[in-house]
Amino acid sequence: MNSIRTYILLLFLTFGLQQVQSQSYQFKTSGFSVLEKNERGKWGEWSNLDLVNLSVILDTNKHRIVVYSQEIQLFSILDYIEREENDTDIVYSFMCKDNDGKECKVSIITRKKQDYRKQLYINYDDRIIVYNIFSV
């Protein structure tokens, strides 16, 4: 009887510890905009903000960020960049590869002086996509 209790306790602790180690953060988007380089390699202007309601998941256990748009955007996290903070922003960045194998930097930025508004930036060499996000 004691061995059954011990086994159940070990099983419970094992699953409990796995739950503690994995972190998953859920966000919703409220809008997005795109900035692209022109044919001369100069940055253009941000597109008009389009309203969108998408789910975004940051899953540090699976080392990925998923944007559930019409075409699912999957970013495999290659490296976690040290958190940065200054007077205006808190920045969490990740070096990633997207669905097509292209490298990009994905950042979650909290704007301190804008009521702690959050934004998700997806930075490629030739374009930047920004989503306004909020935690759910």
Side-chain angles (χ1 to χ4, degrees):
M1 191 69 164
N2 280 339
S3 63
I4 293 174
R5 286 183 186 171
T6 304
Y7 179 74
I8 291 172
L9 179 63
L10 286 174
L11 190 63
F12 177 75
L13 287 174
T14 300
F15 286 117
L17 289 176
Q18 286 179 351
Q19 195 72 346
V20 169
Q21 292 175 352
S22 67
Q23 292 283 333
S24 182
Y25 304 91
Q26 295 187 327
F27 303 95
K28 286 284 191 182
T29 66
S30 60
F32 84 99
S33 184
V34 179
L35 176 65
E36 293 182 296
K37 284 187 178 178
N38 63 25
E39 56 278 350
R40 294 184 195 146
K42 303 282 184 193
W43 290 106
E45 294 186 20
W46 285 101
S47 67
N48 290 333
L49 185 72
D50 287 330
L51 302 179
V52 291
N53 182 12
L54 307 173
S55 292
V56 176
I57 306 290
L58 165 59
D59 189 335
T60 59
N61 187 43
K62 294 181 180 177
H63 307 289
R64 68 183 188 181
I65 300 166
V66 184
V67 179
Y68 289 95
S69 54
Q70 187 172 353
E71 184 177 321
I72 294 176
Q73 301 169 62
L74 173 63
F75 301 95
S76 298
I77 299 172
L78 305 173
D79 191 23
Y80 294 80
I81 299 172
E82 190 172 331
R83 175 181 178 258
E84 299 174 40
E85 184 170 356
N86 56 40
D87 291 341
T88 59
D89 300 320
I90 303 169
V91 182
Y92 293 91
S93 294
F94 314 89
M95 291 307 301
C96 299
K97 274 198 178 179
D98 68 9
N99 304 36
D100 299 324
K102 294 180 184 173
E103 288 195 15
C104 59
K105 181 178 178 182
V106 178
S107 300
I108 297 173
I109 300 175
T110 302
R111 307 288 184 188
K112 291 180 182 180
K113 294 187 176 180
Q114 298 177 19
D115 290 329
Y116 289 85
R117 177 171 68 109
K118 288 181 175 31
Q119 294 182 302
L120 175 74
Y121 280 82
I122 304 167
N123 295 277
Y124 291 96
D125 290 335
D126 61 346
R127 72 187 179 284
I128 301 171
I129 304 165
V130 63
Y131 290 95
N132 290 327
I133 59 174
F134 56 92
S135 301
V136 290

